[in-house]
Amino acid sequence: MKSSWLSTLLLLFSIQVAFAQQSNKGVVTGRLIDQETQAPLDFATISILSAVDSSVITGGVSDEQGKFAIEAKFGRYLAKIDFISYQSKTISGVEISADQRIADLGDIMIGASAEMLEEIEVVAEKSEMQFDLDKRTFNVGKDLANKGGSAEEILDAIPSVSVDVEGAVSLRGTENVTILVDGKPSGLIGADGGGLKSLPASMIERVEVVTNASARYDASGTGGIINIVLKKDRKKGINGAIDVSGGLPQRYGVGLNLNARKKDVNFFINYGFRNRTGPGKGYTYQEFYGDVPIPFSEQYNTRERGGNSHSIRAGMDFFLSERDVLTGSILYRIGDDYSDALTEFRDFDANRVLTDISERRQDETEEESNLNYELNYERKFSEKGRKFVAQLQYRSETETEAADYVETAFDLNGIATGEDPLLQRSLNAEENGTLLLQADYVHPFTENMKMEFGGKATFRKIGNDYLVEEFGNSIWNRLDNVSNNFNYNEDIAAVYGIFGNKIGKWSYQVGLRAEHSHVVTELVETNELNDRSYTNLFPSAHVNYEIDPANSFQVSYSRRISRPRFWYLNPFFNFSNQRNFWGGNPNLDPEFTDSYEVGYIKYWDNVTLGSSVYYRKTTGVIERIARVDGEGITRTQPENLSTENAFGMEFTTTADITKGWRVDANANFYSERTFGEVGDLTLENEAITFSNRVTSKIKLWKDTEFQTRFWYRAPQNTTQGRQRSMYSFDLGLSTDLLQKKATLTLAVRDLFNTRKWRSETYGSGFFMDRVHQRRAGQTTLSFNYRINQDNKRQRRGGDRGDMDGGDGGDMEF
């Protein structure tokens, strides 16, 4: 009570000071109250409108006590109050004059909108998939199949997104995707996305997919942007959730998401622990033509990946004023992983008679740590939509991989010959440091017209030391042909400007981004230096036409760049299999893509349909090319080809079949033509393929839901072969407990164990048929307990997506 009186006195004092400085202005005050619960409504929007034509003059938001004070010039106004899932309210007769400088509207009761008066639950009542013309949002809390899983598994379940056998993420058929966390690069992801498997799903609120980004975003990622938004809240008091999960193959985890706000300070913390075991297996058949020592070969591979990881993110929002927020956070992740593999080689002569049997065993340990410091400042001005944001971030990452290899010979009966085994070992140590500076400013000229501009600079340094040794003559001898030190320095500076306007049913946005890149790679021991600098312009344009509130079109264009990833430049070849090497290429150039897209959204009462047609033209396409030498050794490395033309159509829909049955479906039809020449190789590919996902969720009774999902990917031609079809089937069952404060979920991924990558590769002098299963089907039981989360207090706002997304990194159009 004392605090309330003090805040009121300070408010009146600030008003009087403002009057003394500006004699022709007054202030509109009041307090917003929930009509049902009598609780104050914080962060509601109050707009001050002209009484003549209802144009917006100024506005503001309510504080944690529901109070507001908005300065305006003398005149007659309307006050309009908007708050998500509450009835809008307009108050007329608001007047400020020299005789009445304070227009006190008193306590204003706000009721829930009629469509929300039935029982509405927290995030659990949001649609799993939400639509906007330029992006789609996927609410992680609604996907039962991913309970207790990882970020990698979540992305693999999102329409048009897939994660391949090596963990590479692709969107609409291309791996050139930028992955962000809360709208920014993050140490949680790792240098090349390897951290996705260690990031617990319990820390993730939602995932946003942007297929044709504006000039506001980095130009990298020709396929689009995937933004992972972590859980964070700013509601007053203490609230959060605890997650516990366990399953088979062995996997268990614990997650904690906690938020505490008191007055002007908000504390938040996320913690996740994961222990996982991922058995996998594979088979490779190879044919080699010509005068080679091994004409035919079979390889049987079993592998188990696993380990422990801890992720913790903690920070604080400090509300300097009702318009200024300073946020500081720190993120720390450590991982202690292992990768054990056994490969059996069976070699045959030209008559397909078995001649040799051997096996190669790998025992590898991986230790990694990521540290991320971040400081953000946000200033919201009195004019609605005007704001300034500044960010400072520093990330450091270390990773050490140590592996022992033992290769043993067997006779044709599978009995060890007794010969001394081949002993080898490797040590790969990597350090990565990145500094990011960014500032963005949005200036609205009118309610519908705005301009924004900003700048960004990133400075990245990676050092990689790779040592391979072989035991002989009682000592370990260094293998110089596969050992080296590799340094990578990347500096990127960018500025951008965007102008947007709305005229009637038409709205448009045009932008231009300029980026200067300076990339230096160095092979230390051979003194090979590759120094490249280039400056590029990246225009973007979006045009919308709203036929009516339920029908909208968008036409968009953007130019993008895909710089070669660190591991694509690092020439060290993977040493786990001495017959199939994979390494990078330090001479790679970036890819450039011109992307065009036409989108349409249609809303019915119970159905939403999103559709798009897209075309991408890419130059300097990077493809992984395999070659076989005279000894029958396959070496694969990335190369720049000439061009790729890709065309596709995508359909995404969500439909409420009945009150308790919802179906989400996605289908992506994709065609590409690639042509290029690499040395003496001429490579050409024309492919037509498609993929689809269908998710069905049925409410069995009041507090229990059952989910099924089917996924299918059709066969697809590649520049050196063909990928065969693949499908999987997932199940999920959840029920609310403890008066809806807790949820128990049983999830089964890949029920029939059919998710296997099958491919054919062929070229001059060789053919290879490969089947690989990265991880077997899995079953997980998870328990979620919510702390002080009132189901009726946080109401949902429909299925059209939150364009500003709170802490989602300004992913709006």
Side-chain angles (χ1 to χ4, degrees):
M1 189 72 177
K2 184 177 179 180
S3 174
S4 177
W5 275 107
L6 180 60
S7 63
T8 302
L9 289 173
L10 290 173
L11 179 63
L12 292 173
F13 176 75
S14 64
I15 291 171
Q16 291 179 1
V17 172
F19 289 165
Q21 295 175 342
Q22 302 184 38
S23 59
N24 67 333
K25 290 187 177 183
V27 69
V28 180
T29 64
R31 188 166 73 117
L32 305 181
I33 304 294
D34 186 308
Q35 183 174 295
E36 179 184 354
T37 65
Q38 300 300 305
L41 296 179
D42 52 348
F43 296 103
T45 301
I46 303 96
S47 302
I48 304 302
L49 314 178
S50 168
V52 178
D53 58 7
S54 298
S55 61
V56 178
I57 303 302
T58 184
V61 295
S62 56
D63 63 17
E64 63 178 3
Q65 296 178 2
K67 296 180 180 181
F68 63 88
I70 303 172
E71 190 180 82
K73 294 181 179 180
F74 293 161
R76 299 186 63 194
Y77 301 103
L78 305 172
K80 184 181 180 183
I81 294 100
D82 294 292
F83 194 46
I84 188 169
S85 301
Y86 285 79
Q87 295 174 342
S88 294
K89 191 163 191 173
T90 302
I91 301 173
S92 60
V94 180
E95 185 172 353
I96 305 173
S97 64
D99 297 328
Q100 185 179 335
R101 294 177 177 268
I102 301 176
D104 188 2
L105 306 183
D107 288 348
I108 305 169
M109 299 295 174
I110 308 295
S113 60
E115 61 197 30
M116 299 298 171
L117 287 177
E118 58 188 68
E119 182 177 9
I120 298 171
E121 300 177 4
V122 196
V123 177
E125 280 301 319
K126 285 186 177 179
S127 169
E128 180 184 342
M129 183 164 47
Q130 296 174 281
F131 294 82
D132 287 295
L133 283 169
D134 63 334
K135 76 169 183 180
R136 286 165 296 156
T137 301
F138 302 89
N139 295 298
V140 173
K142 283 304 290 174
D143 189 357
L144 305 185
N146 284 317
K147 294 290 186 179
S150 66
E152 182 180 86
E153 293 163 348
I154 286 175
L155 294 186
D156 203 22
I158 289 177
S160 300
V161 178
S162 64
V163 182
D164 73 7
V165 67
E166 302 297 338
V169 178
S170 62
L171 174 62
R172 288 179 172 175
T174 175
E175 293 182 6
N176 298 319
V177 181
T178 297
I179 302 177
L180 307 175
V181 175
D182 289 336
K184 300 173 288 294
S186 173
L188 281 174
I189 302 303
D192 279 288
L196 289 171
K197 64 181 181 294
S198 301
L199 177 59
S202 62
M203 292 178 62
I204 301 173
E205 177 72 25
R206 64 183 183 274
V207 176
E208 299 168 332
V209 177
V210 180
T211 54
N212 215 5
S214 72
R216 179 187 305 114
Y217 304 107
D218 290 350
S220 60
T222 57
I225 295 172
I226 297 175
N227 183 41
I228 299 172
V229 181
L230 301 181
K231 292 179 178 177
K232 178 185 171 184
D233 210 336
R234 286 179 174 174
K235 294 198 300 289
K236 61 185 178 181
I238 297 176
N239 55 82
I242 299 173
D243 293 271
V244 180
S245 64
L248 296 173
Q250 177 182 310
R251 54 186 298 160
Y252 52 87
V254 176
L256 171 67
N257 300 286
L258 195 63
N259 178 86
R261 179 174 178 183
K262 185 176 182 181
K263 296 183 179 179
D264 295 331
V265 180
N266 179 69
F267 298 94
F268 57 90
I269 184 170
N270 310 95
Y271 169 75
F273 165 76
R274 293 195 74 229
N275 173 279
R276 64 195 181 281
T277 300
K281 59 184 179 179
Y283 169 77
T284 301
Y285 169 76
Q286 293 177 300
E287 294 181 1
F288 304 101
Y289 312 128
D291 185 16
V292 293
I294 305 174
F296 302 97
S297 174
E298 293 181 338
Q299 299 172 24
Y300 298 85
N301 174 267
T302 58
R303 178 183 294 272
E304 182 175 286
R305 293 184 174 96
N308 301 313
S309 63
H310 300 263
S311 302
I312 185 168
R313 171 177 173 260
M316 175 180 75
D317 300 309
F318 184 62
F319 296 84
L320 304 172
S321 69
E322 67 175 11
R323 303 188 185 282
D324 299 89
V325 182
L326 185 65
T327 301
S329 65
I330 184 171
L331 181 152
Y332 182 57
R333 179 171 69 88
I334 56 173
D336 184 7
D337 300 333
Y338 68 90
S339 178
D340 296 337
L342 177 65
T343 303
E344 180 184 290
F345 300 89
R346 303 176 71 87
D347 300 330
F348 301 83
D349 62 18
N351 297 316
R352 299 182 183 270
V353 176
L354 181 65
T355 57
D356 290 290
I357 299 177
S358 63
E359 69 175 26
R360 184 174 177 85
R361 183 181 300 274
Q362 169 192 301
D363 295 313
E364 181 179 271
T365 60
E366 304 173 13
E367 295 181 357
E368 59 178 328
S369 66
N370 308 85
L371 194 57
N372 196 118
Y373 305 93
E374 192 168 311
L375 185 66
N376 299 321
Y377 169 73
E378 181 176 2
R379 164 72 174 175
K380 292 185 177 179
F381 297 85
S382 57
E383 298 93 336
K384 185 177 181 179
R386 183 185 172 197
K387 68 177 180 179
F388 171 77
V389 179
Q391 302 172 359
L392 170 65
Q393 182 192 82
Y394 178 73
R395 307 192 310 271
S396 65
E397 306 168 30
T398 61
E399 181 176 1
T400 301
E401 299 177 356
D404 293 318
Y405 306 97
V406 179
E407 192 163 321
T408 307
F410 293 83
D411 63 24
L412 300 185
N413 296 314
I415 300 174
T417 61
E419 300 176 13
D420 290 338
L422 174 65
L423 303 179
Q424 296 172 325
R425 66 186 184 186
S426 65
L427 180 65
N428 187 4
E430 181 182 316
E431 294 185 352
N432 182 353
T434 304
L435 175 66
L436 181 151
L437 303 169
Q438 184 171 343
D440 303 274
Y441 174 70
V442 181
H443 186 91
F445 296 102
T446 66
E447 182 182 9
N448 297 322
M449 183 190 299
K450 71 175 181 179
M451 176 177 283
E452 55 183 295
F453 50 87
K456 180 179 180 180
T458 57
F459 308 93
R460 185 182 185 193
K461 294 182 180 295
I462 303 177
N464 182 270
D465 296 342
Y466 192 53
L467 172 66
V468 180
E469 295 177 314
E470 184 172 305
F471 191 77
N473 298 321
S474 301
I475 61 172
W476 286 99
N477 302 287
R478 187 175 189 272
L479 300 182
D480 292 329
N481 60 325
V482 289
S483 301
N484 210 324
N485 299 333
F486 183 69
N487 292 331
Y488 175 87
N489 295 336
E490 177 190 84
D491 299 334
I492 301 174
V495 293
Y496 75 91
I498 296 175
F499 178 79
N501 194 15
K502 182 177 182 180
I503 304 173
K505 294 185 176 183
W506 291 90
S507 61
Y508 65 89
Q509 175 183 279
V510 293
L512 182 65
R513 186 180 187 92
E515 291 191 354
H516 175 75
S517 307
H518 183 207
V519 179
V520 180
T521 62
E522 179 186 15
L523 288 168
V524 177
E525 296 192 15
T526 56
N527 199 27
E528 296 178 50
L529 191 69
N530 195 328
D531 189 336
R532 302 187 181 192
S533 295
Y534 41 91
T535 302
N536 306 100
L537 297 178
F538 301 96
S540 68
H542 295 71
V543 179
N544 289 8
Y545 178 66
E546 186 179 88
I547 303 171
D548 56 53
N551 288 270
S552 297
F553 276 100
Q554 183 186 82
V555 179
S556 61
Y557 163 78
S558 68
R559 181 167 172 80
R560 313 283 295 167
I561 186 175
S562 179
R563 300 176 184 88
R565 302 175 185 178
F566 169 70
W567 280 110
Y568 272 39
L569 294 171
N570 190 338
F572 305 140
F573 282 89
N574 183 293
F575 199 67
S576 60
N577 187 328
Q578 288 203 105
R579 300 191 188 182
N580 294 279
F581 290 94
W582 194 98
N585 178 2
N587 297 312
L588 286 178
D589 293 318
E591 298 180 354
F592 291 93
T593 295
D594 291 284
S595 178
Y596 306 83
E597 187 165 344
V598 178
Y600 171 70
I601 293 180
K602 168 65 176 176
Y603 295 97
W604 290 276
D605 289 340
N606 298 315
V607 178
T608 301
L609 173 65
S611 60
S612 61
V613 177
Y614 58 91
Y615 168 73
R616 296 192 303 260
K617 181 175 182 179
T618 304
T619 58
V621 177
I622 297 175
E623 288 270 358
R624 285 174 274 193
I625 306 301
R627 294 180 175 87
V628 175
D629 62 20
E631 299 297 320
I633 304 300
T634 303
R635 300 179 185 272
T636 304
Q637 71 176 29
E639 304 277 3
N640 285 110
L641 302 184
S642 296
T643 60
E644 177 185 271
N645 290 282
F647 171 81
M649 295 183 292
E650 185 173 24
F651 301 93
T652 305
T653 184
T654 179
D656 293 319
I657 308 301
T658 65
K659 185 177 180 180
W661 182 15
R662 166 167 285 181
V663 174
D664 294 328
N666 168 270
N668 182 45
F669 300 87
Y670 177 76
S671 171
E672 68 176 8
R673 187 178 188 277
T674 305
F675 176 82
E677 295 181 352
V678 181
D680 57 346
L681 294 177
T682 298
L683 301 170
E684 187 172 3
N685 168 52
E686 189 165 353
I688 299 176
T689 187
F690 76 94
S691 64
N692 74 290
R693 281 181 174 89
V694 179
T695 301
S696 171
K697 184 175 295 180
I698 300 175
K699 182 165 285 190
L700 299 180
W701 50 87
K702 184 178 179 180
D703 299 325
T704 302
E705 292 182 320
F706 177 65
Q707 174 182 296
T708 58
R709 175 188 290 127
F710 175 75
W711 172 79
Y712 174 77
R713 192 199 68 186
Q716 178 180 354
N717 293 331
T718 65
T719 51
Q720 280 192 295
R722 177 178 175 82
Q723 292 180 348
R724 298 195 186 101
S725 63
M726 181 166 53
Y727 71 94
S728 65
F729 193 75
D730 304 332
L731 298 177
L733 179 69
S734 75
T735 185
D736 288 337
L737 306 170
L738 305 177
Q739 298 180 333
K740 296 190 177 182
K741 292 182 179 180
T743 301
L744 184 68
T745 303
L746 177 67
V748 181
R749 285 180 59 88
D750 196 7
L751 176 65
F752 301 113
N753 207 32
T754 54
R755 197 176 181 86
K756 300 175 182 179
W757 294 81
R758 303 176 300 159
S759 64
E760 296 176 0
T761 304
Y762 40 79
S764 177
F766 76 96
F767 168 80
M768 180 166 60
D769 190 347
R770 188 181 185 213
V771 179
H772 188 94
Q773 185 176 33
R774 190 160 182 253
R775 57 172 176 261
Q778 52 200 32
T779 302
T780 305
L781 183 67
S782 63
F783 178 78
N784 169 266
Y785 182 78
R786 296 173 286 278
I787 304 170
N788 292 336
Q789 291 189 354
D790 186 347
N791 287 344
K792 291 187 178 182
R793 175 65 178 85
Q794 189 182 16
R795 308 174 188 268
R796 74 181 175 106
D799 292 341
R800 302 196 182 194
D802 177 8
M803 293 307 287
D804 200 2
D807 298 290
D810 290 336
M811 298 295 290
E812 77 275 21
F813 161 64

